[in-house]
Amino acid sequence: MKRREFIALAGGAAVPWPISARAQTPPKRLGILQGGRGGDTVSLSEEPFLSELAKLGYVEGRNLIVERRYAEGKLKRLPALAAEIIAFRPDLIFAPPAPAAAAAKALTTSIPIVFCFVNEPVALGFAQSLAHPGGNLTGMSNFSVEIAGKRIELLKELLPGLTRLACWYNAEAVNEAIEVSAVQAAATRFGMQFLPIAANKPAEYDAAAAATRDWG
Protein backbone atom coordinates (compact mmCIF):
# COMPACT_ATOMS: atom_id res chain seq x y z
CA MET A 1 0.00 0.00 0.00
CA LYS A 2 1.58 3.24 -1.12
CA ARG A 3 0.96 6.61 0.50
CA ARG A 4 -0.38 8.12 -2.74
CA GLU A 5 -3.34 5.74 -2.62
CA PHE A 6 -4.33 7.16 0.75
CA ILE A 7 -4.19 10.77 -0.44
CA ALA A 8 -5.93 10.07 -3.74
CA LEU A 9 -9.08 11.73 -2.37
CA ALA A 10 -7.40 15.12 -2.64
CA GLY A 11 -6.52 14.51 -6.26
CA GLY A 12 -10.02 13.40 -7.16
CA ALA A 13 -9.15 9.80 -8.07
CA ALA A 14 -8.78 6.58 -6.13
CA VAL A 15 -7.07 3.30 -6.86
CA PRO A 16 -9.54 0.48 -6.11
CA TRP A 17 -8.24 -1.92 -3.47
CA PRO A 18 -10.29 -4.67 -1.87
CA ILE A 19 -11.20 -3.96 1.72
CA SER A 20 -9.77 -7.35 2.69
CA ALA A 21 -6.40 -6.36 1.27
CA ARG A 22 -6.43 -3.07 3.17
CA ALA A 23 -7.21 -4.85 6.42
CA GLN A 24 -3.90 -6.71 6.19
CA THR A 25 -1.88 -3.50 6.17
CA PRO A 26 -1.07 -1.24 9.14
CA PRO A 27 -3.70 1.45 9.72
CA LYS A 28 -3.14 4.82 8.10
CA ARG A 29 -2.59 7.84 10.31
CA LEU A 30 -4.50 11.08 9.75
CA GLY A 31 -3.77 14.34 11.55
CA ILE A 32 -6.53 16.96 11.69
CA LEU A 33 -5.60 20.55 12.57
CA GLN A 34 -8.41 23.09 12.83
CA GLY A 35 -8.32 26.78 13.64
CA GLY A 36 -11.80 26.75 15.14
CA ARG A 37 -13.58 24.57 17.65
CA GLY A 38 -16.04 21.70 17.39
CA GLY A 39 -19.60 22.06 16.17
CA ASP A 40 -19.80 23.90 12.86
CA THR A 41 -16.05 23.57 12.29
CA VAL A 42 -16.34 19.79 12.40
CA SER A 43 -19.58 19.51 10.43
CA LEU A 44 -18.45 21.83 7.62
CA SER A 45 -15.11 20.22 6.88
CA GLU A 46 -13.97 17.34 9.04
CA GLU A 47 -17.08 15.16 8.80
CA PRO A 48 -17.39 15.42 4.99
CA PHE A 49 -13.68 14.65 4.61
CA LEU A 50 -13.88 11.57 6.81
CA SER A 51 -17.04 10.50 5.03
CA GLU A 52 -15.27 10.57 1.67
CA LEU A 53 -12.32 8.63 3.10
CA ALA A 54 -14.78 6.03 4.38
CA LYS A 55 -16.12 5.62 0.84
CA LEU A 56 -12.57 4.75 -0.20
CA GLY A 57 -12.42 2.13 2.55
CA TYR A 58 -10.55 4.09 5.25
CA VAL A 59 -12.65 4.08 8.42
CA GLU A 60 -11.65 5.54 11.76
CA GLY A 61 -11.31 2.82 14.37
CA ARG A 62 -10.85 0.14 11.73
CA ASN A 63 -7.90 0.96 9.50
CA LEU A 64 -7.54 4.67 10.16
CA ILE A 65 -6.12 6.37 13.26
CA VAL A 66 -7.07 10.03 13.65
CA GLU A 67 -5.33 12.59 15.87
CA ARG A 68 -7.17 15.91 16.27
CA ARG A 69 -6.11 19.36 17.46
CA TYR A 70 -8.38 22.44 17.62
CA ALA A 71 -7.16 25.99 18.24
CA GLU A 72 -10.61 26.99 19.56
CA GLY A 73 -10.39 30.24 17.62
CA LYS A 74 -7.04 31.18 19.19
CA LEU A 75 -4.94 31.13 16.04
CA LYS A 76 -1.70 31.87 17.87
CA ARG A 77 -1.94 28.34 19.27
CA LEU A 78 -1.73 26.77 15.82
CA PRO A 79 2.10 26.47 15.54
CA ALA A 80 2.29 24.51 18.81
CA LEU A 81 -0.69 22.35 17.86
CA ALA A 82 0.84 21.73 14.43
CA ALA A 83 4.01 20.52 16.13
CA GLU A 84 1.93 18.02 18.11
CA ILE A 85 0.31 16.78 14.91
CA ILE A 86 3.72 16.39 13.25
CA ALA A 87 4.94 14.41 16.27
CA PHE A 88 2.06 12.00 15.66
CA ARG A 89 3.83 11.13 12.36
CA PRO A 90 0.70 11.13 10.20
CA ASP A 91 0.53 9.91 6.62
CA LEU A 92 -1.64 12.92 5.81
CA ILE A 93 -2.66 16.20 7.49
CA PHE A 94 -6.08 17.74 6.94
CA ALA A 95 -5.74 21.41 7.87
CA PRO A 96 -8.55 23.81 7.08
CA PRO A 97 -8.65 26.79 6.85
CA ALA A 98 -5.61 28.82 5.70
CA PRO A 99 -4.07 29.58 9.14
CA ALA A 100 -4.02 25.88 10.02
CA ALA A 101 -2.55 24.92 6.66
CA ALA A 102 0.12 27.61 7.02
CA ALA A 103 1.08 26.36 10.48
CA ALA A 104 1.44 22.80 9.20
CA LYS A 105 3.30 23.91 6.09
CA ALA A 106 5.89 25.71 8.22
CA LEU A 107 6.87 22.44 9.88
CA THR A 108 6.96 19.88 7.07
CA THR A 109 7.79 19.66 3.40
CA SER A 110 7.24 15.91 3.17
CA ILE A 111 3.88 15.11 4.80
CA PRO A 112 0.97 15.77 2.40
CA ILE A 113 -1.35 18.55 3.61
CA VAL A 114 -4.93 19.01 2.40
CA PHE A 115 -6.61 22.40 2.88
CA CYS A 116 -9.97 24.01 2.14
CA PHE A 117 -11.63 27.42 2.69
CA VAL A 118 -8.53 29.12 1.25
CA ASN A 119 -9.00 32.25 -0.86
CA GLU A 120 -5.59 32.62 -2.56
CA PRO A 121 -3.44 29.45 -2.43
CA VAL A 122 -0.78 30.94 -4.73
CA ALA A 123 -0.51 34.27 -2.89
CA LEU A 124 -0.32 32.43 0.43
CA GLY A 125 2.53 30.25 -0.83
CA PHE A 126 0.52 27.03 -0.75
CA ALA A 127 1.01 26.46 -4.48
CA GLN A 128 3.45 27.61 -7.13
CA SER A 129 0.51 28.01 -9.53
CA LEU A 130 -2.99 26.61 -9.90
CA ALA A 131 -1.93 24.56 -12.93
CA HIS A 132 1.25 23.22 -11.31
CA PRO A 133 0.93 23.46 -7.51
CA GLY A 134 4.15 21.63 -6.61
CA GLY A 135 5.12 21.14 -2.97
CA ASN A 136 3.24 19.04 -0.44
CA LEU A 137 -0.05 20.98 -0.24
CA THR A 138 -3.25 20.47 -2.19
CA GLY A 139 -6.89 21.31 -1.67
CA MET A 140 -9.75 23.62 -2.63
CA SER A 141 -9.96 27.38 -3.06
CA ASN A 142 -13.13 29.42 -2.65
CA PHE A 143 -11.72 32.21 -4.90
CA SER A 144 -13.32 34.80 -2.61
CA VAL A 145 -10.68 37.39 -3.53
CA GLU A 146 -11.56 37.12 -7.21
CA ILE A 147 -15.27 37.66 -6.52
CA ALA A 148 -14.80 40.46 -3.95
CA GLY A 149 -15.36 43.10 -6.60
CA LYS A 150 -18.54 41.43 -7.80
CA ARG A 151 -19.89 41.32 -4.25
CA ILE A 152 -19.35 45.06 -3.83
CA GLU A 153 -20.92 45.68 -7.25
CA LEU A 154 -24.04 43.74 -6.26
CA LEU A 155 -24.17 45.56 -2.93
CA LYS A 156 -24.03 48.90 -4.77
CA GLU A 157 -26.85 47.79 -7.06
CA LEU A 158 -29.00 46.89 -4.06
CA LEU A 159 -28.12 50.10 -2.19
CA PRO A 160 -27.31 52.78 -4.79
CA GLY A 161 -26.88 55.44 -2.11
CA LEU A 162 -24.22 53.46 -0.24
CA THR A 163 -21.12 55.61 0.31
CA ARG A 164 -19.39 53.99 3.28
CA LEU A 165 -18.51 50.37 3.90
CA ALA A 166 -17.13 48.84 7.12
CA CYS A 167 -15.57 45.40 7.15
CA TRP A 168 -14.84 43.22 10.16
CA TYR A 169 -12.00 40.74 9.79
CA ASN A 170 -9.68 38.52 11.79
CA ALA A 171 -6.26 40.17 11.64
CA GLU A 172 -4.61 36.96 12.87
CA ALA A 173 -5.81 34.99 9.85
CA VAL A 174 -3.23 35.06 7.05
CA ASN A 175 -5.86 34.83 4.31
CA GLU A 176 -8.21 37.54 5.54
CA ALA A 177 -5.74 40.40 5.07
CA ILE A 178 -5.58 39.49 1.37
CA GLU A 179 -9.35 39.47 1.06
CA VAL A 180 -9.76 42.75 2.95
CA SER A 181 -7.35 44.42 0.51
CA ALA A 182 -9.45 43.19 -2.41
CA VAL A 183 -12.66 44.45 -0.78
CA GLN A 184 -11.04 47.83 -0.11
CA ALA A 185 -9.92 48.14 -3.74
CA ALA A 186 -13.45 47.34 -4.93
CA ALA A 187 -15.02 49.81 -2.49
CA THR A 188 -12.66 52.55 -3.69
CA ARG A 189 -13.52 51.75 -7.30
CA PHE A 190 -17.21 52.33 -6.54
CA GLY A 191 -16.53 55.58 -4.69
CA MET A 192 -17.06 54.30 -1.15
CA GLN A 193 -15.21 55.17 1.99
CA PHE A 194 -13.86 52.01 3.60
CA LEU A 195 -13.23 51.16 7.25
CA PRO A 196 -11.48 47.84 8.10
CA ILE A 197 -12.01 46.78 11.71
CA ALA A 198 -10.01 43.97 13.31
CA ALA A 199 -12.29 41.70 15.33
CA ASN A 200 -10.29 38.56 16.00
CA LYS A 201 -12.59 36.89 18.52
CA PRO A 202 -16.12 37.21 19.96
CA ALA A 203 -14.86 39.20 22.95
CA GLU A 204 -13.91 41.98 20.52
CA TYR A 205 -17.22 42.11 18.66
CA ASP A 206 -18.83 44.70 20.95
CA ALA A 207 -15.91 47.07 20.43
CA ALA A 208 -16.06 46.46 16.67
CA ALA A 209 -19.78 47.23 16.67
CA ALA A 210 -19.16 50.44 18.61
CA ALA A 211 -16.41 51.49 16.19
CA THR A 212 -18.74 50.85 13.28
CA ARG A 213 -21.56 52.83 14.89
CA ASP A 214 -19.33 55.78 15.80
CA TRP A 215 -17.51 55.96 12.46
CA GLY A 216 -17.44 59.48 11.11
Side-chain angles (χ1 to χ4, degrees):
M1 178 70 68
K2 297 180 180 179
R3 175 182 288 182
R4 66 173 179 270
E5 292 156 7
F6 177 60
I7 65 172
L9 171 65
V15 177
W17 280 72
I19 296 299
S20 58
R22 288 176 183 157
Q24 298 171 7
T25 64
K28 293 298 181 181
R29 301 166 71 86
L30 171 66
I32 295 178
L33 180 64
Q34 294 262 26
R37 52 183 63 84
D40 290 344
T41 296
V42 172
S43 62
L44 286 173
S45 57
E46 182 177 322
E47 289 179 355
F49 188 78
L50 290 174
S51 176
E52 291 302 312
L53 283 180
K55 293 177 183 179
L56 299 175
Y58 298 100
V59 179
E60 183 177 7
R62 183 189 302 167
N63 57 358
L64 179 65
I65 302 173
V66 182
E67 188 77 4
R68 297 171 172 84
R69 293 292 185 276
Y70 304 106
E72 301 290 331
K74 300 175 182 177
L75 301 185
K76 291 182 179 179
R77 297 179 57 203
L78 283 170
L81 297 177
E84 294 178 9
I85 289 292
I86 298 296
F88 171 64
R89 299 177 64 186
D91 296 289
L92 175 69
I93 298 174
F94 180 55
K105 176 181 180 294
L107 297 180
T108 180
T109 58
S110 58
I111 301 174
I113 299 169
V114 177
F115 59 77
C116 60
F117 307 130
V118 169
N119 55 17
E120 277 287 342
V122 176
L124 290 169
F126 294 173
Q128 296 174 13
S129 70
L130 295 181
H132 303 285
N136 61 316
L137 279 78
T138 189
M140 298 175 61
S141 172
N142 55 21
F143 296 103
S144 57
V145 170
E146 284 80 357
I147 63 175
K150 189 62 178 180
R151 288 171 173 165
I152 302 305
E153 180 182 348
L154 292 173
L155 187 60
K156 187 68 174 178
E157 289 180 5
L158 289 171
L159 301 170
L162 184 64
T163 59
R164 299 196 300 172
L165 178 66
C167 175
W168 295 11
Y169 72 104
N170 186 343
E172 295 179 356
V174 293
N175 57 318
E176 293 200 17
I178 296 174
E179 188 164 354
V180 168
S181 295
V183 172
Q184 182 170 11
T188 300
R189 189 167 68 252
F190 287 98
M192 301 179 194
Q193 298 179 51
F194 183 74
L195 177 65
I197 300 175
N200 300 344
K201 50 192 174 183
E204 299 174 353
Y205 291 170
D206 287 344
T212 304
R213 183 187 63 242
D214 298 338
W215 180 24

